[in-house]
């Protein structure tokens, strides 16, 4: 399947997708593969995930799962045998990395 997919709940991928997928939870089975931008609060990978991955809360790589590309997560678990490679960025839970702005420095009161 090619295109953009938005799922309000759980998306279980048991085939191949090229494009962008957004959901609350994404589960990629051992037969599943996604190539493109993948964004969700919770992502569990038993198959293959390539390109851009953003897990706002949890990212779990199963023992037969592989992820490569640009990877952003808040909480990460890699089971023995799982593979993760690419640029990896840990974020605070619930924050979207592309929209993070640095906190402004508090201004000191003027001294008279």
């Amino acid at each position: 399947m090619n295109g953009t997919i938005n799922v309000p709940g759980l998306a279980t991928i048991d085939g191949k997708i090229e494009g962008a997928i957004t959901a609350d939870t994404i589960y990629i089975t051992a037969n599943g593969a996604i190539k493109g931008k993948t964004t969700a609060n919770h992502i569990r990978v038993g198959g293959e995930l390539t390109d851009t991955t953003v897990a706002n809360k949890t990212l779990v790589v199963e023992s037969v799962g592989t992820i490569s590309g640009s990877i952003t997560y808040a909480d990460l678990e890699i089971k023995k045998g799982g593979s993760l490679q690419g640029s990896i960025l840990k974020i605070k839970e619930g924050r979207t990395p592309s929209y993070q702005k640095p906190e402004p420095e508090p201004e000191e009161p003027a001294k008279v």
Side-chain angles (χ1 to χ4, degrees):
M1 179 176 179
N2 292 327
T4 301
I5 302 168
N6 292 308
V7 179
L10 169 66
T12 301
I13 310 303
D14 194 42
K16 296 187 184 209
I17 293 179
E18 278 193 41
I21 182 166
T22 303
D24 178 59
T25 302
I26 296 174
Y27 172 54
I28 303 168
T29 69
N31 296 322
I34 298 176
K35 182 178 182 180
K37 184 168 183 177
T38 304
T39 306
N41 287 324
H42 309 281
I43 301 174
R44 179 175 293 269
V45 181
E48 188 176 330
L49 182 56
T50 57
D51 203 348
T52 303
T53 303
V54 178
N56 292 316
K57 294 186 179 179
T58 59
L59 176 60
V60 177
V61 183
E62 299 289 347
S63 61
V64 293
T66 62
I67 303 177
S68 61
S70 173
I71 303 153
T72 305
Y73 68 91
D75 188 36
L76 175 65
E77 178 182 345
I78 304 172
K79 297 192 177 177
K80 186 176 181 178
S83 172
L84 183 76
Q85 66 182 52
S87 67
I88 302 168
L89 174 67
K90 179 176 173 61
I91 58 170
K92 290 185 179 179
E93 188 173 315
R95 295 186 73 174
T96 306
S98 58
Y99 296 106
Q100 284 182 348
K101 292 184 181 177
E103 295 293 323
E105 294 290 325
E107 293 183 27
E108 290 186 29
K111 294 182 182 176
V112 184

